[in-house]
Amino acid sequence: MSEPDGEHLGPYRLLSPLGSGGFGEVHLALDPEGRTVAVKVLHPHVAADASALTRLEREVETMRLVEGPYVAEVLDASMSGERPYLVTRYVQGRPLSVVPVPVTDLRRLAKGLAQALTAIHDAGVVHRDLKPANVMMAEGEPVVIDFGIASALDSLSVTASGAVVGTPGYLAPEVLEGQETGAPADVFSFAATLAYAATGRQPYGTGPLSAIAYRVVHHEPDLEGVPAWLEPLLRECLLRDPAARPTAAQICARLGVDTPSRGRHGVRGLSGTARRPTPSAMGAAGPAGPEPFPGALGPEPGAFLEAGGPSGGLGGVFAGGRRVEPTQGHADLHDLSTREWRPGRPTTDEARARHREKIRRRWVIGSGIFVALLAAAARTPLPEASLLLLASYSLIVVGDAAVALLSRGLFRIRRMVTDLSSVAGVVALWLVLSTLFSPFTLALFAGTALVVGVVFLLNA
């Protein structure tokens, strides 16, 4: 099911696989404007299930209403064709399941998760698989991924017969017992996730999946080490009776944060073909499908990219906290911007244009200083050579300014100002240097500048 690097799915260019979960394969991709997104291509056995696909299409309509800084929004979707897919915001960071725990800023994490859960529930969506692997830590802020996918695809034809979609230890007792579930189940998972972040331990221990599930239903959680300000709230959220648990909005109030208001960028309906994501929500996401329990356990889905790899760009690929070797195509991604897109942040083409303009500006200024040194050194012994150097530099730079005037580049005005200012600056520097220093001293300066420039180029 892997897509070759550079292939397209709808309007999206698939760059490289990030990982594979129970329901789909996640790709790092570019949207038509060059922004990074995450595209989850559904597995063939999921795409072949008409009822599951219809249910997912209906749920996606609601999932796309969920917006906020602490959720990875669903940006686009196409449930038609041979390869149905979802497009989400790509979040660059690391899952809570692999960051150092206990978390240093636990209050910040708790508030962010509470606001994420409120945004999800206000839209009428139930996550059903909230756990540390589905909480991305991006610059210290939590971002919840994969909301609604588990409940949308929880059908016998998609999962193993009798299986429960989710992760033991973070699933509510009513989910494990096969009862009707809703938002209170997410509150239970929220508390279990925070307990792990606060102590570094799963609140219901480790071991066989059946043993963990038994402890969830019949035992009290282990909250030893949870700060005093948080423990009472977690105990309420982990109550066996769903009706006794607080709501997400009540959790926000208990933590002293405002309930996030529901915002929309307009109706984003499904038409059977992929639609462009709205710019205000575009950027990054790292979705991954939930794992079935206790049926056949596939690869852990929480795939993501670790920033700051050996090359200083994209690092290794992780799946469920386990490092795997980068797949073919990651070596070509080091020049791509994979930072989350936010309003005001340049697109990939704009970033490249800015980089080219920066390099050009450095060359113009650097070469101008060198020419001024040489021309000043030659002013007394070789006045004609001095004037020739100045004239040649001025003609070249003024010509570049004329080209900028006729072009439609993003930085043509800035380019013209830089060029004309450089010419005036070189002439002024030539006059000052030739007046204050002897030709021999200036020649030494010019030689030193030449050596430094060559060394810099070789290092670059």
Side-chain angles (χ1 to χ4, degrees), residues 46 51 98 139-140 147 157 166 225 305 352 372:
V46 179
S51 61
V98 299
E139 299 180 353
F147 52 85
S157 57
L305 288 177
R352 289 174 178 170

Side-chain angles (χ1 to χ4, degrees), residues 412-435:
R412 63 183 185 191
I413 302 300
R414 186 183 304 177
R415 182 174 169 181
M416 290 176 55
V417 172
T418 301
D419 288 343
L420 297 179
S421 300
S422 296
V423 171
V426 165
V427 174
L429 184 61
W430 167 71
L431 289 172
V432 171
L433 291 175
S434 60
T435 302

Side-chain angles (χ1 to χ4, degrees), residues 128 164 167-182 184-192 204 212-221 234-243 245 293:
R128 280 288 303 275
V164 178
T167 303
Y170 300 97
L171 288 176
E174 62 268 24
V175 178
L176 296 171
E177 293 177 333
Q179 302 175 11
E180 185 175 351
T181 60
D186 284 349
V187 171
F188 183 96
S189 302
F190 159 85
Y204 293 96
I212 299 175
Y214 181 85
R215 289 194 289 267
V216 170
V217 176
H218 299 286
H219 291 184
E220 293 297 322
L234 296 191
R235 288 201 181 276
E236 288 185 36
C237 295
L238 293 172
L239 291 173
R240 295 188 184 92
D241 182 9
R245 299 171 198 153
F293 162 78

Side-chain angles (χ1 to χ4, degrees), residues 5-46:
D5 178 36
E7 291 296 322
H8 283 75
L9 185 60
Y12 302 97
R13 180 189 173 199
L14 304 183
L15 299 176
S16 183
L18 297 180
S20 181
F23 298 133
E25 187 176 65
V26 185
H27 292 258
L28 179 66
L30 293 179
D31 82 317
E33 282 73 36
R35 304 184 182 107
T36 50
V37 294
V39 176
K40 168 169 280 190
V41 184
L42 300 183
H43 286 320
H45 73 277
V46 179

